[in-house]
Structure formats: C-alpha cells, structure tokens
Amino acid sequence: MKKGYALLNDPFLNKGTAFTKEEREQLRLVGLIPDRIQTIEQQTKQAYENFQKKVDNIEKRHYLMEIFGRNRTLFYKLFSQHVEEFMPIVYDPVVADAIENYSHYFVEPQNAAFISIHQKDNIETILKQAADGRDIELIVVSDAEAILGIGDWGLNGVGISVGKLMVYTAAAGINPTKILPVVLDAGTNRQSLLDDPLYLGNPQKRVYGDDYYNFVDKFVNAAESLFPNLYLHFEDFGRGNAANILNKYKDKYAVFNDDIEGTGIITLAGILGGLNISKEKLSDQIYLCFGAGTAGAGIADRVFKEFVQQGMSEEEARKHFYLVDKQGLLFDDMDDLTPQQRPFARKRSEFDNADKLVDLLDIVKTVKPTIMVGTSTEPHTFTEQVVKEMASYCKRPMIFPLSNPTELAEATAEDLIKWTNGRALVATGIPSADVEYNGVKYEIGQANNALIYPGLGLGVIATRAKFLSEEMISKAAHSLGGIVDTNRLGAAVLPPVSKLTMFSETVAIGVANEAIAQNLNREPISDVKQRIQSIKWCPEYKSLI
C-alpha cells in the first residue's frame, strides 16, 4: 500500500479529508491533510457548491477535471448525483473545447497511455507502465482523425478517450481502476497544430497505408496479450481507416467502434421507439441518410441489418435505402465512393431525373423517405421546404438531425415540430429542450450514444464475451427502443439521459442474455442480473487498512 504523499497523489486510492483516524496513523498521513475528517457526502456537497460558483461550462469542466485528477471516487460520486447536468460538461459538447486546447491546457496525463507511431516497438512496455499493475478490462482508443463535428486533432484527441470512459463508469458502473484511455499518435493533418509550438503530439502529417495499419496491429495485439479479458472500444478514427480496422478484428476479439456501431445502435433504437409510437412496420419505411461519412454509412448499415434480421432479403432491403453525400445521391458509377457507401449506391437507370438528384429537396421529392437521418455537419439543411415536402406524404415523418455541436445541426427540434404540425418524430444529436406546440409538450429524445455503449460494454464485460455479435448489437437497440411511452402525445422516441444508469443496466442484461444464448460467454453464468450487479462499481470509499 502506498503511503504519505504517494497515496495522496494516487487518484484511485486518495480519499482527501475522508481518510479515517486509523488510516492517517498507519499510512503516514497525519499532518499532511487537515485534521477534520469528512464523509464523502460532505465532500460532494462542498464540491457541488464550488462547481455552481463557476461562471461558464468551460470553467465548470476545468474544476471537475481537477477533482477527477485528484480523487476518482469523489468525482464519480459527484457525477452520479448530477448525471444529466454533468454529461454535456464532461463529454459532448464541452469536451470539444478541451480537445482543441488540450496541449495548451495540459497539466497532468489523467492516467492515459500516449503511444506514438515512432514508439511502435515499445507498445507493450507503454501499456504496462500506464496500467501500473491494474487489471484492465476496457480500453477506449482513438487516433483522433475524425472527432465528430470538429475533425482531426491528433494527440489532443486523448480527451475523447478520457471522456468516453468517464461515461462508461458513471452510467454503467465500470470500475475506473480497470479502464485505460489510449491515444495513437500517427500525426495530424491540421495545419494549426503543426504550426503550434505548444502542440504536444508528433508535428508531422498523418501516416497512412501499411505503416499505419502495422502500428494499429501492434497496439491491438499487445493490448489483447496483456489484458486477456479486454473489451476494446475504437473511437473517432478516420473514414478511410475506421471500418477496415473494425472488420479486421471484430470476429477475433471483443471490439467495438462507436462511430460505426454505436451511432447506428442508438439511431436504430430511436427508429424502433418511433415505430412503437406510430404503430408502423420497419419493412414499410424508406430510409434517407444525409451525410454518408463513417457515422452516416455506419448507421445505414445497422438499420439495413435490422431489415434483414426481421426477415427481408438483402436485395429487397437495399431498395429501402438512399445515401446522400457531398456529391448528392450516391450512384454506383461514382469513382470516389468509400467501401461503406458502395453497397448502398443506386443505379442511375432507376431514375428519370438522376442528373438532378444533387439538391436535398429534389431527392426527397423523388425517393419520398419516411426516415431522414442527418450526419452531414451542414447546418440548417433540413429546411422548411424539405421538411414540409416529407410531411406531405408521410403521416409521422421520422427526422433525426444528429450532427453536433449545436451550430452544425441540420435543423432544430422546435422547427421540425412546427413545420410538421406536431407530427414529426424527432431525435437530435445534442440535448434539446421540450417543445411546446398547440398545447402539447413534445419531449425530444437525444440520440446520445451514451444511452447505448455503457450498457453494451457492461454486458460484454460481465459475460467476458469472446466477441460482439450482430445479435448482441441488435438486442441492445431493442432493449432501449422498447422504453418509450406509446400512450402519451408528445412522447420521446428515446428515453431521457437523466435515467442513464437505469437504462444502461437494462441494455446490459439484454446483451448479456444474448451472449449466453449464443454461447459466447467464456464462463458459466446462472443469474445474469446478479452477475451484472456483482461487477458494478459504486463510488464509495473502502478501508485501506
């Protein structure tokens, strides 16, 4: 056991003023902290009072990160009491400022592993040093080439790994001593970083091709070798690499890509929730994706797989999907399609006006979608004209402007409700206030991946699943999509973030049961709910003597 200042400087063990009299005496802490002994309840009350005095969200985030760096238990106790309030501060959207200014704000490494492509032969040593003897069960790793809404931020993107893991612990009770944030520094293409003398990452253009994939492979193999019970979460990799990496490892290890799979799961859950409200069938829907990058194509693929799982042939299911990117509607004769876009590209011969299908309004008039999902980061592109056109033939149009932060959203929830006379089923990528319209309060679901990925991860970790199957992913979406109030006018298509911890457990139970049904669990489990409860970590101080 560490003692004295070594103990006070360990955020996983530090209790601050809550060390007992006996602990202070035996662990050489007498006189190193004030004599007054506080409970964790008193500490959280004091911390929240200080939090409320901060003038803006950036100051609030800095204060919370100070607590995080000193005392993990106190941080998560505080977080657990204010989940809805803290979520946008410790993660999206305020995390964007922390990432953009990471090298300038840098004070301490927050127990992350920083792996440079120039250190690829030392990856195992770096991971061992970062774990510091801890049994790691969950890693979030990013190379930060494509952070949603803000792009390429190189080493600064470690903040996304740290933030994602905060949500895993706060929402699903993943033990913070068993997690590790990792950034893979393969360079950056952001010129402002390359020109910044304070930038802490490799000051070079990004490495691509075989050298890059060899770098990633060495990391994955080292991590899986060192941590045999590992669940590996990939985050914000570029559109040219993300799917290739996921496809290489998904049938070999328990891996997950939040941009490709997580966004797809939460969007599918919103669609299933919407269908529960409208009483319509998935097989009758026409799906339009606006913004067919990694996230957009990944969402389309997840919804497509649900069509197939519900009994439709792949050939027939493809006819229900239309992908729109910067070129307009995607056609199979385009030579700049990504591998993820190509399966959904249409033939020009299907349309009399193929050459005109560049503008979103013309596309909507032609294909008549019933579901329209925006991941374009092109603000205000779901215009009143586009939305009213969709509402002219669709009783309950499902419209999900998912781009974030706020200034990049394709439309606001308030406008979508107003333009459709309250008929639209809406989910947004950022938190949206309730909308009052014609005497009805419309609750707006947030398609926040945090509603899905913590519970999904908890289910995988609880069963020590060999890998993450399509059926487990579908079960996660159905577990969440079934939690809607179908009897109330104005009900949201997704449950509120305020009940994140409750829904995370619901998702975990569904995922774990599916893993067991497929014989993917590595050890026998007789009671799934009890197993999940037994591994969940609670932010309470434990005796150190």
Side-chain angles (χ1 to χ4, degrees):
M1 175 57 64
K2 295 177 179 178
K3 296 182 179 181
Y5 283 119
L7 178 56
L8 294 176
N9 289 327
D10 187 327
F12 300 108
L13 299 175
N14 184 26
K15 302 181 184 182
T17 54
F19 282 108
T20 65
K21 180 176 181 294
E22 293 75 18
E23 286 173 330
R24 294 173 187 225
E25 291 173 349
Q26 294 187 34
L27 301 175
R28 297 204 293 266
L29 296 173
V30 175
L32 302 188
I33 48 179
D35 279 354
R36 180 71 178 269
I37 297 172
Q38 291 182 301
T39 64
I40 195 169
E41 287 75 21
Q42 289 172 321
Q43 289 179 323
T44 52
K45 182 175 183 294
Q46 181 183 49
Y48 188 61
E49 286 177 357
N50 287 328
F51 169 84
Q52 290 178 303
K53 293 174 184 176
K54 305 305 175 185
V55 298
D56 59 35
N57 284 342
I58 292 174
E59 276 198 26
K60 289 178 178 179
R61 178 182 168 81
H62 289 328
Y63 176 69
L64 291 177
M65 294 308 294
E66 287 176 13
I67 299 174
F68 177 80
R70 294 195 312 266
N71 185 334
R72 292 288 198 276
T73 306
L74 176 58
F75 172 82
Y76 284 112
K77 184 72 171 181
L78 187 61
F79 197 168
S80 70
Q81 295 173 355
H82 306 278
V83 172
E84 188 173 20
E85 183 179 6
F86 283 12
M87 273 290 293
I89 294 171
V90 303
Y91 195 58
D92 190 40
V94 182
V95 72
D97 174 79
I99 291 167
E100 292 170 2
N101 295 286
Y102 179 84
S103 292
H104 290 250
Y105 290 163
F106 183 84
V107 175
E108 57 97 17
Q110 299 166 341
N111 302 97
F114 301 82
I115 305 178
S116 166
I117 195 166
H118 303 303
Q119 292 286 342
K120 60 174 176 273
D121 293 330
N122 296 322
I123 291 176
E124 186 169 328
T125 299
I126 293 169
L127 290 174
K128 281 182 181 177
Q129 291 173 168
D132 194 26
R134 295 180 290 129
D135 177 22
I136 302 301
E137 294 184 342
L138 170 63
I139 286 176
V140 173
V141 58
S142 180
D143 76 349
E145 183 179 5
I147 298 175
L148 188 61
I150 60 174
D152 181 352
W153 284 93
L155 177 135
N156 287 12
V158 68
I160 209 77
S161 298
V162 173
K164 215 80 178 182
L165 286 168
M166 287 177 175
V167 180
Y168 267 110
T169 297
I174 306 297
N175 191 326
T177 67
K178 295 178 178 292
I179 64 179
L180 181 65
V182 176
V183 62
L184 300 180
D185 184 1
T188 178
N189 292 333
R190 184 172 292 277
Q191 194 61 44
S192 62
L193 292 180
L194 297 175
D195 294 338
D196 184 353
L198 294 181
Y199 175 55
L200 295 173
N202 286 323
Q204 66 178 66
K205 292 289 187 179
R206 281 191 173 273
V207 176
Y208 291 104
D210 291 344
D211 284 350
Y212 172 81
Y213 287 120
N214 178 255
F215 175 41
V216 174
D217 196 52
K218 286 193 172 187
F219 160 72
V220 172
N221 290 331
E224 294 290 346
S225 174
L226 286 171
F227 313 121
N229 296 318
L230 182 65
Y231 178 56
L232 182 56
H233 173 139
F234 294 104
E235 184 73 23
D236 289 334
F237 285 73
R239 72 156 66 183
N241 294 321
N244 293 339
I245 292 169
L246 177 64
N247 291 336
K248 181 172 182 177
Y249 302 109
K250 69 178 183 179
D251 297 325
K252 187 177 180 181
Y253 301 120
V255 300
F256 172 72
N257 183 299
D258 192 40
D259 309 289
I260 295 174
E261 297 173 297
T263 311
I265 299 168
I266 190 64
T267 306
L268 174 59
I271 291 171
L272 295 172
L275 294 175
N276 282 334
I277 294 170
S278 69
K279 311 300 183 188
E280 296 176 350
K281 296 179 181 177
L282 181 65
S283 57
D284 293 332
Q285 306 306 306
I286 301 297
Y287 183 97
L288 188 148
C289 160
F290 182 66
T294 299
I299 295 169
D301 187 59
R302 170 50 46 204
V303 180
F304 163 76
K305 287 173 179 173
E306 187 65 24
F307 272 76
V308 175
Q309 284 189 336
Q310 291 195 18
M312 190 176 287
S313 71
E314 290 194 7
E315 182 181 4
E316 181 61 29
R318 296 274 182 214
K319 296 177 183 177
H320 290 250
F321 287 80
Y322 298 86
L323 269 60
V324 181
D325 209 50
K326 57 184 180 294
Q327 312 97 309
L329 185 65
L330 298 187
F331 291 108
D332 60 3
D333 60 358
M334 293 176 172
D335 58 9
D336 55 352
L337 299 180
T338 68
Q340 294 69 50
Q341 293 170 341
R342 191 161 293 283
F344 295 100
R346 309 301 294 243
K347 294 185 180 299
R348 291 185 186 274
S349 58
E350 297 178 49
F351 308 94
D352 295 331
N353 61 339
D355 292 341
K356 295 182 180 179
L357 297 181
V358 176
D359 179 73
L360 181 59
L361 178 59
D362 290 334
I363 294 169
V364 168
K365 286 180 177 179
T366 301
V367 308
K368 294 189 174 355
T370 60
I371 300 170
M372 186 165 64
V373 175
T375 53
S376 67
T377 66
E378 292 290 335
H380 314 301
T381 41
F382 289 178
T383 64
E384 182 175 2
Q385 203 174 1
V386 167
V387 171
K388 285 187 172 179
E389 172 63 28
M390 188 174 175
S392 70
Y393 58 79
C394 188
K395 182 179 178 183
R396 299 301 306 270
M398 217 174 294
I399 308 175
F400 294 178
L402 301 186
S403 292
N404 60 75
T406 305
E407 59 268 20
L408 300 181
E410 289 83 5
T412 66
E414 184 177 9
D415 281 342
L416 295 176
I417 296 296
K418 180 176 68 176
W419 294 338
T420 61
N421 291 319
R423 292 188 288 120
L425 295 165
V426 180
T428 55
I430 46 92
S432 292
D434 296 342
V435 175
E436 297 280 349
Y437 181 76
N438 281 350
V440 177
K441 183 173 79 171
Y442 293 87
E443 295 177 353
I444 307 301
Q446 185 188 358
N448 188 329
N449 292 16
L451 291 170
I452 281 287
Y453 69 78
L456 181 65
L458 178 59
V460 172
I461 291 168
T463 58
R464 306 219 187 282
K466 298 169 188 174
F467 56 86
L468 180 61
S469 70
E470 296 292 347
E471 291 78 8
M472 291 163 69
I473 290 173
S474 177
K475 180 62 74 173
H478 279 272
S479 297
L480 194 65
I483 309 173
V484 295
D485 184 356
T486 58
N487 298 315
R488 194 185 67 74
L489 192 62
V493 298
L494 286 165
V497 173
S498 60
K499 297 183 179 179
L500 183 59
T501 53
M502 182 195 311
F503 299 140
S504 292
E505 186 166 319
T506 300
V507 171
I509 290 170
V511 170
N513 278 321
E514 187 61 34
I516 293 168
Q518 294 186 269
N519 294 316
L520 294 177
N521 51 308
R522 297 186 198 180
E523 54 188 56
I525 298 173
S526 57
D527 186 329
V528 164
K529 190 170 184 178
Q530 190 277 329
R531 166 68 176 170
I532 286 172
Q533 287 294 333
S534 71
I535 69 167
K536 287 182 72 172
W537 177 83
C538 293
E540 301 291 344
Y541 292 135
K542 296 178 174 57
S543 176
L544 298 182
I545 57 173

